[in-house]
């Protein structure tokens, strides 16, 4: 197996309008792959974190004629969507072509730029659409003695319930997560749509996003409290050798990591708060346990079974997958505590070691 640590990248976004209006100061600085955060209440007090990659997307950009953000001539530090794709998305694709499972997770507080990096905004497409487009481009350029199968699924985890974002009929209580000796945890009855073009995936993503918005509007909640998991199953059938290579690509836009304000009153809001915390708390627990194990501590039990999210991410965390995490952060002093907690979370995550194997078997 190929044993490597979870790769971690941090990305800092521009000030939001709200932060600008509040006269925010930037508390983040980056130098090569180091990120430094400065305590606004105690400016001499700085902490530096080193990850695999650090992306400065805070300043030095302008809009090109298509409305994309690109770096300017004077301060050309702005890291745009293409750059992130080339460093991270291309790696996901390379792993998939080799037959490894790959996972990309975006973590951070609400508004920190998770969806921007993963899905994107208008012409500024994020990693997921570019990965899908490049996958089909590469398939078109392959030799004749291979066949390909691509399927796409998109689900939301909300309140420990799994909602199929590609299905218009909503199942009461959500779909069940089951366990199978061969494939581990899986969602029973989830729609897996066979795809043969990027345009098709684009439509599915649009449809899924629409269903997600409708669902959250009818439940009167914001989507920042749910996790979205997009899964691409990629199969290559080598006709001459009669071998099939298979890769599962998981692309995960996590719920906002901020601590929920305790509402205390309404039962629903309370339940939601605890559950969002449950999945993210359990993710944190799994990550901590794996990080301890990686530094040689004795860990008896990794609590994968304690939430839907950790069940579905079991292979991504400490298992058979090449895994990347993007830690999205705000630059503003008012977000200092949350940003610091995101950086610490990311620091634990990078200790996790995965053991990825190429999934190859004789063609059936
Ligand atoms: P999250 O998904 O973490 O809640 P979003 O991705 O929705 O946050 O980002 C919040 C806002 O910040 C959006 O308006 C988005 O367009 C903007 N934004 C986030 N990251 C960047 C970036 N790297 N460059 C430019 N704008 C960004
Ligand atoms: Mg989002």
């Amino acid at each position: 197996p190929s044993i490597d640590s979870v790769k971690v990248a941090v990305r800092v976004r521009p000030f939001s309008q709200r932060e600008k209006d509040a006269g925010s100061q930037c508390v983040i600085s980056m130098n090569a792959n180091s990120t430094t955060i400065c305590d606004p209440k105690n400016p001499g007090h700085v902490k530096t974190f080193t990850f695999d990659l650090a992306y400065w997307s805070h300043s030095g950009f302008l809009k090109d004629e298509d409305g994309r953000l690109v770096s300017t001539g004077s301060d050309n530090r702005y890291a745009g969507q293409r750059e992130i794709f080339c460093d991270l998305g291309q790696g996901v694709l390379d792993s998939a072509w080799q037959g490894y499972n790959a996972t990309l997770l975006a973590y951070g507080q609400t508004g920190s730029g998770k969806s921007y990096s993963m899905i994107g905004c208008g012409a500024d497409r994020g990693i997921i659409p570019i990965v899908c487009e490049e996958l089909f481009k590469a398939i078109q350029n392959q030799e004749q003695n291979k066949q390909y199968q691509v399927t796409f699924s998109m689900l939301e985890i909300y309140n420990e319930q799994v909602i199929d974002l590609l299905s218009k009929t909503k199942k009461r209580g959500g779909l069940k997560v089951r366990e199978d000796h061969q494939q581990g945890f899986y969602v029973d009855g989830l729609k897996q749509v066979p795809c043969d073009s990027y345009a098709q995936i684009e439509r599915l993503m649009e449809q899924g996003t629409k269903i997600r918005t409708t669902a959250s509007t009818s439940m009167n909640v914001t989507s920042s409290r749910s996790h979205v998991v997009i899964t691409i199953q990629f199969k290559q059938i080598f006709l001459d050798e009669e071998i099939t290579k298979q890769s599962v690509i998981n692309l995960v836009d996590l719920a906002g990591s901020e601590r929920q304000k305790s509402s205390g009153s309404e039962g629903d809001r309370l339940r939601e708060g605890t559950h969002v915390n449950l999945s993210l708390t359990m993710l944190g627990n799994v990550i901590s346990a794996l990080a301890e194990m990686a530094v040689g501590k004795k860990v008896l039990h990794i609590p994968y079974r304690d939430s839907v999210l950790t069940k579905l991410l079991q292979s991504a965390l400490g298992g058979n997958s090449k895994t990347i995490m993007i830690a999205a952060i705000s630059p503003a002093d008012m977000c200092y505590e949350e940003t610091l907690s995101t950086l610490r979370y990311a620091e634990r995550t990078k200790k996790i070691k995965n053991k990825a194997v190429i999934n190859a078997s004789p063609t059936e």
Side-chain angles (χ1 to χ4, degrees):
S2 149
I3 299 179
D4 27 35
S5 307
V6 172
K7 189 170 177 175
V8 176
V10 56
R11 186 181 196 188
V12 60
R13 63 156 170 75
F15 280 133
S16 65
Q17 194 55 50
R18 194 168 78 92
E19 288 165 349
K20 277 188 209 157
D21 293 345
S24 295
Q25 297 293 310
C26 177
V27 294
I28 301 296
S29 60
M30 286 177 172
N31 188 350
N33 54 357
S34 299
T35 299
T36 300
I37 182 166
C38 159
D39 182 351
K41 294 211 187 79
N42 190 353
H45 192 205
V46 300
K47 290 192 184 70
T48 296
F49 296 81
T50 306
F51 298 112
D52 296 282
L53 291 152
Y55 292 108
W56 182 264
S57 301
H58 177 59
S59 64
F61 55 86
L62 49 79
K63 276 194 177 168
D64 72 3
E65 59 275 22
D66 297 321
R68 264 186 290 260
L69 297 185
V70 293
S71 65
T72 59
S74 50
D75 167 5
N76 57 9
R77 297 175 66 200
Y78 181 77
Q81 302 284 60
R82 262 287 151 186
E83 185 174 341
I84 314 278
F85 164 77
C86 288
D87 292 344
L88 307 176
Q90 190 58 53
V92 167
L93 282 173
D94 293 345
S95 300
W97 279 99
Q98 291 170 60
Y100 291 111
N101 298 333
T103 306
L104 183 63
L105 302 155
Y107 183 89
Q109 76 180 113
T110 299
S112 60
K114 296 180 296 296
S115 304
Y116 184 85
S117 287
M118 296 296 274
I119 294 161
C121 176
D124 271 322
R125 292 182 307 158
I127 297 179
I128 299 176
I130 305 180
V131 158
C132 295
E133 184 181 44
E134 294 295 325
L135 178 64
F136 283 107
K137 263 194 205 160
I139 287 176
Q140 256 126 50
N141 292 330
Q142 290 287 311
E143 331 91 74
Q144 295 297 303
N145 54 350
K146 269 165 92 179
Q147 278 177 359
Y148 304 91
Q149 285 170 16
V150 177
T151 68
F152 184 87
S153 68
M154 186 170 180
L155 64 83
E156 175 174 39
I157 303 171
Y158 177 77
N159 255 351
E160 291 301 291
Q161 288 189 13
V162 178
I163 301 155
D164 190 341
L165 291 179
L166 300 182
S167 167
K168 290 204 179 83
T169 48
K170 191 175 172 267
K171 201 145 175 276
R172 250 227 150 104
L175 299 172
K176 291 276 166 304
V177 176
R178 301 193 196 282
E179 194 177 10
D180 171 279
H181 280 300
Q182 294 231 307
Q183 54 174 335
F185 291 105
Y186 68 97
V187 180
D188 196 9
L190 184 70
K191 253 197 187 171
Q192 315 256 9
V193 184
C195 290
D196 48 26
S197 70
Y198 168 62
Q200 201 179 346
I201 288 194
E202 217 178 6
R203 276 197 300 277
L204 290 171
M205 277 183 67
E206 225 165 81
Q207 189 187 322
T209 310
K210 214 179 271 166
I211 291 181
R212 184 187 188 198
T213 316
T214 321
S216 52
T217 312
S218 73
M219 289 186 288
N220 199 19
V221 293
T222 71
S223 56
S224 66
R225 296 179 172 211
S226 68
H227 313 280
V228 174
V229 181
I230 288 177
T231 304
I232 297 160
Q233 308 238 20
F234 176 50
K235 233 187 225 182
Q236 306 172 71
I237 303 156
F238 295 76
L239 299 174
D240 298 341
E241 293 97 328
E242 296 188 0
I243 279 189
T244 299
K245 277 190 185 172
Q246 181 158 11
S247 164
V248 180
I249 308 171
N250 280 310
L251 304 158
V252 188
D253 190 355
L254 293 167
S257 60
E258 63 276 7
R259 260 141 294 190
Q260 302 291 323
K261 287 189 194 73
S262 53
S263 58
S265 54
E266 285 166 82
D268 253 9
R269 288 238 300 282
L270 199 63
R271 187 160 67 232
E272 175 195 304
T274 25
H275 277 302
V276 170
N277 283 335
L278 181 75
S279 254
L280 267 188
T281 306
M282 291 329 296
L283 181 64
N285 289 355
V286 166
I287 287 173
S288 298
L290 289 166
E292 299 217 319
M293 204 163 80
V295 296
K297 289 205 187 125
K298 214 185 208 147
V299 177
L300 293 174
H301 172 68
I302 311 284
Y304 291 113
R305 296 178 167 275
D306 295 359
S307 75
V308 170
L309 183 66
T310 48
K311 279 179 188 170
L312 298 183
L313 293 180
Q314 178 163 22
S315 70
L317 301 163
N320 179 19
S321 170
K322 303 238 179 199
T323 301
I324 301 171
M325 177 184 272
I326 300 179
I329 59 174
S330 154
D333 45 3
M334 60 162 92
C335 294
Y336 172 77
E337 292 296 337
E338 288 298 341
T339 301
L340 186 58
S341 111
T342 296
L343 293 169
R344 290 196 168 125
Y345 201 95
E347 178 146 81
R348 281 198 294 280
T349 306
K350 79 173 185 188
K351 297 201 178 102
I352 298 177
K353 296 256 193 299
N354 280 358
K355 298 172 280 294
V357 293
I358 292 174
N359 305 305
S361 58
T363 303
E364 281 164 23

